Amino acid sequence: MHRPAPPLTERTAEYWKSGADGVLRIARCGSCGTYLHPPRPVCPQCHSADLAFAPVSGKGTVYSFTVNRYQWTPELEPPYVLAEVELAEQPGLRLLSTIVGCPVEAVRIGMPVSVAFESAGDAWIPVFRP
């Protein structure tokens, strides 16, 4: 699947480029240790601006999902699964991504998944596999 490239902004470029080495990195507060996604200018827990991207395991579970059967964009051929994946590092730390490497009918809430990456321009899109 050919993925459209996301916009690389000052706040998000490190997230989108981090998958080049196969490691998922999520913004983390240096003061209280809270992970935040999407990246924000200050920590929602302690209001610190001491934020940096930190590696995470890339393991998680499917929190919710939908099967897209309509071609919303020419780059994404249906059917495909759009899922909210909760990462193992912190309850409530969720990414919106796609599930690849299995039939759409096999995806279930609570299914364990691991991150993989697909290139899109200068970015590396995190996708998840069972």
Side-chain angles (χ1 to χ4, degrees), residues 1 3-4 6 8 12-20 22-26 37 53 56 58-59 81-83 85 87 94-100 113-120 123-129:
M1 180 182 306
R3 302 218 177 248
L8 302 179
T12 64
E14 192 169 349
Y15 169 77
W16 290 119
K17 291 182 175 187
S18 74
V23 177
L24 180 61
R25 289 174 181 82
I26 301 292
H37 187 79
F53 283 83
V56 295
K59 297 190 182 309
V81 175
L82 184 62
V85 174
L87 297 179
R94 299 185 192 125
L95 303 182
L96 194 58
S97 186
T98 53
I99 306 296
V100 299
V113 291
S114 296
V115 75
F117 295 93
E118 295 181 1
S119 66
W124 290 87
I125 309 294
V127 297
F128 288 84
R129 297 182 179 280

Side-chain angles (χ1 to χ4, degrees), residues 3-109:
R3 302 218 177 248
L8 302 179
T9 67
E10 184 179 329
R11 191 178 304 161
T12 64
E14 192 169 349
Y15 169 77
W16 290 119
K17 291 182 175 187
S18 74
D21 63 0
V23 177
L24 180 61
R25 289 174 181 82
I26 301 292
R28 189 171 195 193
C29 178
S31 295
C32 72
T34 299
Y35 288 98
L36 21 147
H37 187 79
R40 299 178 189 104
V42 296
C43 175
Q45 297 299 315
C46 72
H47 308 289
S48 171
D50 180 17
L51 304 172
F53 283 83
V56 295
S57 68
K59 297 190 182 309
T61 57
V62 174
Y63 182 81
S64 182
F65 73 95
T66 186
V67 177
N68 278 317
R69 299 186 186 280
Y70 181 79
Q71 189 150 10
W72 296 99
T73 177
E75 295 90 351
L76 297 174
E77 186 72 32
Y80 61 93
V81 175
L82 184 62
E84 195 173 9
V85 174
E86 185 166 86
L87 297 179
E89 279 70 20
Q90 175 180 295
L93 178 60
R94 299 185 192 125
L95 303 182
L96 194 58
S97 186
T98 53
I99 306 296
V100 299
C102 70
V104 295
E105 299 81 17
V107 178
R108 299 283 181 260
I109 291 174

